[in-house]
Amino acid sequence: MIDYLSPREMKHLEDEARSGAVWPRVIGCFRDGARLLLGWDHGLPEDEIARRAAIDGSGVRAAIDEAVRFCVTRKLHLLGWQEPGGDWTYFMAVG
């Protein structure tokens, strides 16, 4: 199981963040250094992702969508489910 980002992936995240992209901060909510925090035990509600990543509430969904695209190209999964109240919770998985 891949539970670490490669140095190349880490550099990509850093370069994107340096260029002003906010989506790398979403990925940052699910990692400890290069180590990915996997599974729903590390799941976070959308508003908590916005808070931790310092993303405006109106922009968090777009940032999550972009983070999902980053993950898909690397066979990672940023998955979410909708709670009964309508809020979304996300977690990182590999596959």
Side-chain angles (χ1 to χ4, degrees):
M1 175 189 320
I2 300 167
D3 61 349
Y4 283 87
L5 295 172
S6 71
R8 183 177 174 188
E9 291 164 329
M10 290 293 293
K11 182 177 182 332
H12 180 72
L13 290 173
E14 291 165 4
D15 290 347
E16 287 291 315
R18 218 177 351 268
S19 75
V22 295
W23 66 266
R25 291 184 269 173
V26 172
I27 303 293
C29 293
F30 298 97
R31 62 184 186 90
D32 179 12
R35 182 176 172 264
L36 295 171
L37 304 173
L38 303 174
W40 62 26
D41 289 346
H42 295 287
L44 296 171
E46 191 173 273
D47 61 342
E48 180 64 11
I49 292 170
R51 187 188 70 73
R52 288 185 185 192
I55 300 172
D56 180 279
S58 64
V60 70
R61 183 67 55 94
I64 289 170
D65 289 346
E66 190 64 30
V68 166
R69 286 190 279 284
F70 169 85
C71 289
V72 167
T73 63
R74 287 154 180 85
K75 297 188 183 352
L76 302 170
H77 306 285
L78 182 54
L79 303 171
W81 71 86
Q82 193 170 23
E83 300 286 352
D87 296 332
W88 281 83
T89 298
Y90 294 88
F91 69 98
M92 183 73 68
V94 296

